[in-house]
Amino acid sequence: MRQHSGIRTGRAAGAVLVLVLALVTGCEGLEADGDTPASGDGAAAPGAGHAVSPLNNPDGTAPGLAPVTGDSPRAEARKLIDGLTTKGRGPKTGYDRDEFGYAWMDTADGVPLARNGCDTRNDLLKRDGQKVRFRSGSDCVVIAMTLDDPYTGTSIEWRKQKASEVQIDHVVPLSYSWQMGSSRWPEDKREQLANDPLNLLPVEGRANSAKSDSGPASWLPPSKAVRCAYAVRFAQVAVKYELAVTKADQAMMSEQCGG
């Protein structure tokens, strides 16, 4: 009996030692930056995982922008693009970012993720980022993440200290929409366009700056693999908001999907 008792005692002591080591090891590094990891107790970032094809993501709530491949999906993409209304691009007169509400408002009604207590920018970083870390005490403010940038095909290790390295792109630029008719919309519809996750992608800052307010005929993502997907997303936004595109933009979009 003494021998069995000694074995049990030894095993118990070993188990306690393993548990202590696991607890100590598991806490290392979590407090060093005063941040909160998006893991463990259900705080996992929505963006963790692989990018989704826009054809399988009609409301824009799934992460990223995966390439559109295969004859059938690309034919579906062309059908969507070829059905767009076209017209000439109007003047930019009167355009101002403030006409679309203040930046990254959480109160734009009628779009996913609105009124959830977190601003639009951080919602998008959480949606598309991987290995997301939050500011200490917050489940909203993202301070670090890894982004698989759809526009350049590169991986970005992003930190809030260098916020401009990742910017949120309006796929259909707000200025473009203004010239195509949103100047006549009610303000709440413009706020929807500006904060709709369907129209928003976290991307490399330099690529976003290079795009500016260009349509697809003037600018396409540097990564050729994602150009058809980008055209589909541009078309999805145009359809949802009943926006026309220029004939040149439509032709370029269709070409990216094999048209």
Side-chain angles (χ1 to χ4, degrees):
M1 292 295 293
R2 289 179 182 177
Q3 182 179 6
H4 292 306
S5 176
I7 292 173
R8 286 197 297 269
T9 301
R11 286 176 177 172
V16 170
L17 178 60
V18 169
L19 177 61
V20 170
L21 288 173
L23 289 172
V24 171
T25 303
C27 293
E28 277 188 343
L30 298 186
E31 302 301 327
D33 297 323
D35 60 354
T36 304
S39 61
D41 58 356
H50 298 292
V52 176
S53 164
L55 294 172
N56 299 324
N57 185 20
D59 63 358
T61 56
L65 193 68
V68 174
T69 59
D71 292 341
S72 180
R74 290 172 77 85
E76 181 182 350
R78 291 193 301 273
K79 182 177 179 180
L80 173 68
I81 292 165
D82 293 344
L84 295 174
T85 301
T86 61
K87 71 173 189 177
R89 192 163 173 168
K92 197 175 178 179
T93 307
Y95 168 76
D96 190 286
R97 174 63 177 83
D98 290 343
E99 295 289 341
F100 294 79
Y102 64 86
W104 313 131
M105 62 193 302
D106 184 39
T107 55
D109 290 324
V111 295
L113 309 182
R115 298 186 182 275
N116 65 355
C118 191
D119 64 88
T120 304
R121 176 180 168 83
N122 279 295
D123 278 337
L124 272 294
L125 296 179
K126 288 193 290 181
R127 184 195 69 182
D128 288 17
Q130 299 182 64
K131 294 183 288 187
V132 173
R133 299 185 76 86
F134 297 112
R135 178 183 293 168
S136 181
S138 172
D139 60 359
C140 170
V141 181
V142 178
I143 63 170
M145 66 170 187
T146 300
L147 177 71
D148 291 332
D149 172 36
Y151 285 0
T152 63
T154 61
S155 181
I156 302 172
E157 297 297 329
W158 179 83
R159 301 293 180 269
K160 193 172 178 64
Q161 295 91 325
K162 296 184 178 180
S164 63
E165 289 185 353
V166 169
Q167 298 175 13
I168 308 298
D169 178 45
H170 287 96
V171 178
V172 174
L174 302 185
S175 174
Y176 183 100
S177 81
W178 184 266
Q179 295 172 75
M180 302 305 286
S182 71
S183 58
R184 298 185 295 276
W185 293 355
E187 186 176 357
D188 61 345
K189 185 175 180 179
R190 290 197 294 265
E191 290 175 351
Q192 290 173 9
L193 177 68
N195 293 279
D196 191 336
L198 183 67
N199 193 34
L200 297 169
L201 286 171
V203 299
E204 185 199 67
R206 287 174 297 181
N208 186 48
S209 297
K211 173 184 172 179
S212 186
D213 65 351
S214 300
S218 302
W219 186 91
L220 289 168
S223 174
K224 293 182 179 180
V226 81
R227 287 180 178 178
C228 178
Y230 175 79
V232 169
R233 178 52 55 82
F234 201 102
Q236 287 174 323
V237 176
V239 168
K240 179 175 180 177
Y241 288 90
E242 300 178 313
L243 274 169
V245 300
T246 69
K247 287 185 178 181
D249 287 332
Q250 184 190 43
M252 181 61 73
M253 293 158 71
S254 183
E255 180 181 331
Q256 304 314 307
C257 297

